[in-house]
């Protein structure tokens, strides 16, 4: 009899625990949904109008938007977009590369962070490899669509990255896409793609291009020559420890 009472007691405790876990799970899902919608609305509210087919007008709207946003936050250096994808965001930069991992363009705390440029890079300097980071979010926001460049067909449909500054908008033609990882300090003879910031000589530039080509997922048929500015887009990729998905592109006329 006592054993049956004890069993009933344990069952009640277990049910209470399961109920609490269920409530916690529901709260977690609701919290994530609210966060996702909040982040999406944040950027939808500042999206330039693209209802026109006039490309020069579209370009002008993005450069004007950058000027407008810079009045609110001087860390805004431009706007990055890839047509027909969810990558369509202002570009941030500060001297602390960790800051915009956890803050939006309004400098509010956010798990989505921002799309941001490495502090060592200068987007207006053609000798710079402009390294740009963004989170790989499960709900397809931020740099999630960068993962799709694992598929050559997706690359062929989206070969151009556009970056607007307050002065103009430039097209960048993708030349390589690859998966790699962040290497430990004691590892030698590895390609630390994330440390190639500036190209003050042609050998260093060619070394970077050569290494990117060696590990690319497919042949784009494109390359770059010294003097053409590069951008390198990086996001997390989870097929390996410290994995990264990387897309490299060159500035074109």
């Amino acid at each position: 009899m006592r054993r049956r009472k004890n069993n009933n007691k344990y069952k009640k405790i277990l049910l209470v625990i399961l109920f609490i876990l269920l409530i916690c799970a529901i709260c977690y899902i609701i919290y994530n949904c609210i966060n996702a919608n909040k982040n999406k609305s944040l950027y939808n509210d500042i999206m330039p109008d693209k209802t026109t087919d006039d490309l020069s007008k579209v370009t002008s709207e993005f450069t004007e938007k950058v000027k407008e946003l810079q009045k609110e936050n001087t860390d805004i250096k431009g706007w990055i977009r890839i047509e027909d994808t969810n990558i369509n965001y202002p570009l941030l930069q500060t001297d602390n590369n960790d800051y915009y991992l956890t803050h939006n363009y309004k400098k509010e705390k956010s798990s989505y962070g921002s799309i941001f440029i490495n502090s060592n890079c200068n987007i207006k300097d053609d000798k710079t490899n402009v390294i740009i980071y963004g989170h790989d979010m499960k709900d397809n926001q931020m740099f999630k669509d960068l993962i799709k460049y694992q598929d050559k067909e997706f690359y062929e449909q989206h070969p151009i990255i556009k970056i607007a500054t307050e002065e103009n908008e430039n097209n960048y033609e993708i030349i390589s896409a690859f998966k790699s990882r962040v290497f430990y300090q004691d590892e030698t003879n590895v390609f630390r793609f994330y440390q190639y910031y500036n190209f003050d000589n042609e050998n260093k530039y060619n070394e970077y291009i050569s290494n990117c080509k060696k590990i690319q997922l497919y042949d784009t048929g494109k390359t770059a020559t010294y003097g053409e500015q590069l951008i390198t887009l990086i996001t997390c990729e989870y097929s390996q420890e410290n994995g990264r998905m990387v897309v490299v592109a060159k500035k074109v006329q």
Side-chain angles (χ1 to χ4, degrees), residues 40-90:
K40 192 174 290 185
S41 296
L42 181 73
Y43 291 103
N44 283 341
D45 289 346
I46 61 169
M47 201 68 66
D49 180 21
K50 285 183 58 186
T51 56
T52 176
D53 291 329
D54 186 341
L55 293 180
S56 62
K57 188 175 180 182
V58 170
T59 296
S60 175
E61 285 173 350
F62 278 95
T63 57
E64 289 303 314
K65 177 56 69 173
V66 172
K67 289 179 187 177
E68 178 187 327
L69 292 174
Q70 285 175 337
K71 295 175 184 177
E72 182 178 345
N73 182 356
T74 56
D75 290 344
I76 292 172
K77 304 302 179 186
W79 192 289
I80 184 170
R81 61 191 174 102
I82 302 176
E83 297 289 353
D84 300 319
T85 76
N86 289 326
I87 298 176
N88 200 354
Y89 297 101

Side-chain angles (χ1 to χ4, degrees), residues 4-229:
R4 186 178 297 172
K5 286 183 178 179
N6 286 337
N7 286 340
N8 289 336
K9 181 181 178 181
Y10 292 141
K11 285 180 181 178
K12 288 179 181 179
I13 293 173
L14 180 61
L15 285 173
V16 170
I17 292 172
L18 290 174
F19 179 75
I20 292 171
L21 289 174
L22 177 63
I23 295 299
C24 290
I26 292 171
C27 290
Y28 179 75
I29 292 169
I30 292 172
Y31 173 78
N32 281 342
C33 288
I34 291 171
N35 253 0
N37 289 331
K38 180 181 177 182
N39 194 69
K40 192 174 290 185
S41 296
L42 181 73
Y43 291 103
N44 283 341
D45 289 346
I46 61 169
M47 201 68 66
D49 180 21
K50 285 183 58 186
T51 56
T52 176
D53 291 329
D54 186 341
L55 293 180
S56 62
K57 188 175 180 182
V58 170
T59 296
S60 175
E61 285 173 350
F62 278 95
T63 57
E64 289 303 314
K65 177 56 69 173
V66 172
K67 289 179 187 177
E68 178 187 327
L69 292 174
Q70 285 175 337
K71 295 175 184 177
E72 182 178 345
N73 182 356
T74 56
D75 290 344
I76 292 172
K77 304 302 179 186
W79 192 289
I80 184 170
R81 61 191 174 102
I82 302 176
E83 297 289 353
D84 300 319
T85 76
N86 289 326
I87 298 176
N88 200 354
Y89 297 101
L91 274 173
L92 285 293
Q93 186 180 35
T94 185
D95 57 4
N96 178 0
N97 281 329
D98 291 330
Y99 184 78
Y100 283 111
L101 284 171
T102 56
H103 291 79
N104 61 33
Y105 81 92
K106 289 189 171 185
K107 297 187 175 183
E108 300 167 335
K109 271 277 192 180
S110 170
S111 59
Y112 284 78
S114 298
I115 306 301
F116 68 96
I117 302 169
N118 187 290
S119 62
N120 295 290
C121 305
N122 182 352
I123 197 170
K124 297 180 181 179
D125 181 358
D126 283 347
K127 291 183 179 180
T128 298
N129 176 25
V130 185
I131 299 178
I132 302 171
Y133 305 98
H135 286 310
D136 170 9
M137 303 303 292
K138 291 180 179 179
D139 62 355
N140 296 321
Q141 295 190 61
M142 312 317 286
F143 262 4
K144 178 66 175 180
D145 277 355
L146 213 59
I147 302 295
K148 296 179 181 178
Y149 280 101
Q150 295 178 87
D151 180 3
K152 186 176 182 180
E153 185 177 348
F154 182 83
Y155 150 71
E156 290 171 342
Q157 294 170 355
H158 307 86
I160 299 296
I161 301 165
K162 296 176 179 289
I163 294 183
T165 66
E166 74 277 11
E167 297 173 354
N168 54 36
E169 183 175 71
N170 291 297
N171 287 346
Y172 291 82
E173 182 180 59
I174 294 170
I175 63 172
S176 183
F178 59 88
K179 293 195 291 186
S180 188
R181 63 184 177 88
V182 176
F183 295 95
Y184 297 111
Q185 288 185 350
D186 59 352
E187 291 183 87
T188 58
N189 300 320
V190 293
F191 176 37
R192 289 186 169 85
F193 56 90
Y194 43 86
Q195 292 183 351
Y196 285 77
Y197 311 122
N198 299 301
F199 298 120
D200 41 15
N201 65 73
E202 188 171 356
N203 288 339
K204 190 174 181 181
Y205 186 97
N206 291 337
E207 177 185 287
Y208 183 70
I209 297 297
S210 175
N211 280 313
C212 290
K213 288 294 183 180
K214 284 177 184 175
I215 58 174
Q216 65 186 2
L217 295 167
Y218 42 81
D219 183 12
T220 63
K222 309 291 183 180
T223 189
T225 55
Y226 186 59
E228 292 177 312
Q229 188 190 50

